[in-house]
């Protein structure tokens, strides 16, 4: 409409058509071509937070780490769940416990620890912004963390300080220590690294595969399994010195593996 000009019905109708056209274009741009009436919509939008790790301490106490900094805990076998306030929105990727302490690690170098059953969580300075993918511990003082760029973190004081080492591989995804000096880590492109000095130095071992390895399980000192892409499972019977491929009926990615003893195990993805 123009100022100072006589307005006719046709002008009003034209302006109404222009306004309606603009509203229609705005709705299409914002909502998209699949828009529907609010009370009879044919689709819905919702947000999902995926669980990335689970740790069961016993039949009743379980922790689940997830995306967006979500950490859920139950003390009654899952009848009810509480969300812990960790003060971060980073994806949480791994959990471990030993000696009454629980650690959770994730993206952006996030490390949190609790020594009171999850009632409170302490921020621990990892000294890195790398994505941390795996964590293990042998007691309340000694713990190790692995992540992108082959980084390995270790602590001897319960996480008050963390030391950094390099494994020489692109990314490590999981690890396990049998004591404070002997450990093993697995990662991308079939990477297997072993250490005999508490994680200060790491030695490459031929894993017999180039598949990405995502999880590791150990029974005793000598029996170790690792699982990963393309249904791959490899096994060592000498503490990680040599490896052989296992026959599996699966080709999808196996993201977790666990063994009750040297004969009974499970892998899933």
């Amino acid at each position: 409409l123009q100022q100072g000009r006589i307005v006719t019905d046709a002008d009003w109708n034209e302006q109404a058509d222009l306004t309606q056209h603009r509203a229609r274009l705005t709705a299409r741009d914002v909502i998209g071509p699949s828009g529907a009436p609010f009370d009879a919509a044919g689709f819905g939008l919702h947000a999902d937070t995926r669980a990335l790790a689970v740790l069961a301490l016993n039949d009743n106490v379980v922790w689940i780490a997830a995306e967006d900094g979500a950490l859920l805990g139950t003390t009654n076998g899952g009848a009810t769940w509480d969300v812990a306030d960790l003060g971060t929105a980073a994806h949480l990727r791994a959990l471990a416990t030993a000696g009454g302490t629980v650690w959770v690690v994730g993206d952006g170098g996030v490390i949190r620890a609790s020594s009171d059953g999850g009632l409170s969580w302490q921020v621990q300075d990892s000294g890195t912004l790398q994505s941390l993918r795996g964590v293990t511990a042998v007691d309340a003082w000694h713990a190790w963390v692995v992540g992108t760029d082959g980084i390995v973190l270790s602590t001897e004081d319960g996480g008050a300080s963390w030391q950094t080492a390099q494994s020489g591989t692109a990314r490590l995804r999981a690890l396990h220590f049998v004591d404070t000096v002997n450990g093993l880590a697995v990662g991308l492109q079939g990477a297997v690294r072993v250490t005999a000095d508490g994680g200060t130095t790491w030695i490459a071992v031929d894993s017999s595969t180039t598949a990405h390895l995502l999880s590791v399980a150990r029974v005793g000192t000598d029996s170790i399994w690792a699982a990963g892409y393309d249904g791959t499972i490899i096994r060592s019977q000498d503490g990680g010195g040599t490896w052989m491929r296992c026959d599996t009926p699966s080709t999808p990615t196996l993201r977790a593996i666990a063994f009750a003893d040297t004969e009974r195990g499970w892998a899933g993805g």
Side-chain angles (χ1 to χ4, degrees), residues 12-247:
W12 281 110
N13 292 336
E14 181 182 20
Q15 184 62 37
D17 289 340
L18 291 172
T19 302
Q20 185 182 50
H21 180 67
R22 184 176 63 181
R24 186 181 298 111
L25 292 180
T26 300
R28 188 186 66 184
D29 292 341
V30 174
I31 301 174
S34 299
F38 179 79
D39 58 351
F43 68 96
L45 300 177
H46 64 281
D48 285 327
T49 298
R50 296 185 303 162
L52 300 178
V54 60
L55 174 67
L57 304 187
N58 51 49
D59 291 346
N60 293 314
V61 181
V62 183
W63 294 98
I64 297 177
E67 295 176 331
D68 306 318
L71 180 66
L72 287 75
T74 180
T75 58
N76 52 22
T80 59
W81 293 84
D82 295 315
V83 179
D85 182 9
L86 300 188
T88 180
H91 293 349
L92 305 175
R93 298 188 177 276
L95 291 151
T97 184
T101 298
V102 178
W103 280 276
V104 58
V105 302
D107 290 354
V110 166
I111 300 180
R112 300 290 189 268
S114 175
S115 56
D116 58 10
L119 295 177
S120 62
W121 292 85
Q122 289 73 49
V123 176
Q124 297 190 345
D125 183 7
S126 67
T128 182
L129 294 177
Q130 299 285 7
S131 175
L132 304 178
R133 300 286 182 140
V135 58
T136 190
V138 296
D139 55 38
W141 304 106
H142 296 84
W144 298 262
V145 179
V146 294
T148 55
D149 286 346
I151 192 172
V152 182
L153 307 178
S154 62
T155 181
E156 297 179 348
D157 53 17
S161 62
W162 291 87
Q163 289 71 50
T164 303
Q166 290 295 330
S167 64
T169 188
R171 179 182 293 175
L172 294 173
R173 297 295 297 265
L175 76 167
H176 187 275
F177 272 70
V178 293
D179 52 39
T180 58
V181 295
N182 296 293
L184 176 143
V186 300
L188 267 58
Q189 297 179 330
V192 173
R193 298 292 188 270
V194 296
T195 181
D197 59 9
T200 301
T201 59
W202 294 82
I203 300 172
V205 176
D206 183 6
S207 67
S208 76
T209 182
T210 58
H212 298 337
L213 301 174
L214 307 179
S215 181
V216 63
R218 193 167 196 160
V219 175
T221 302
D222 295 330
S223 298
I224 312 172
W225 297 261
Y229 277 33
D230 303 321
T232 299
I233 297 178
I234 58 174
R235 179 183 182 182
S236 174
Q237 295 178 288
D238 57 7
T242 60
W243 294 83
M244 61 178 293
R245 294 194 59 147
C246 301
D247 292 331

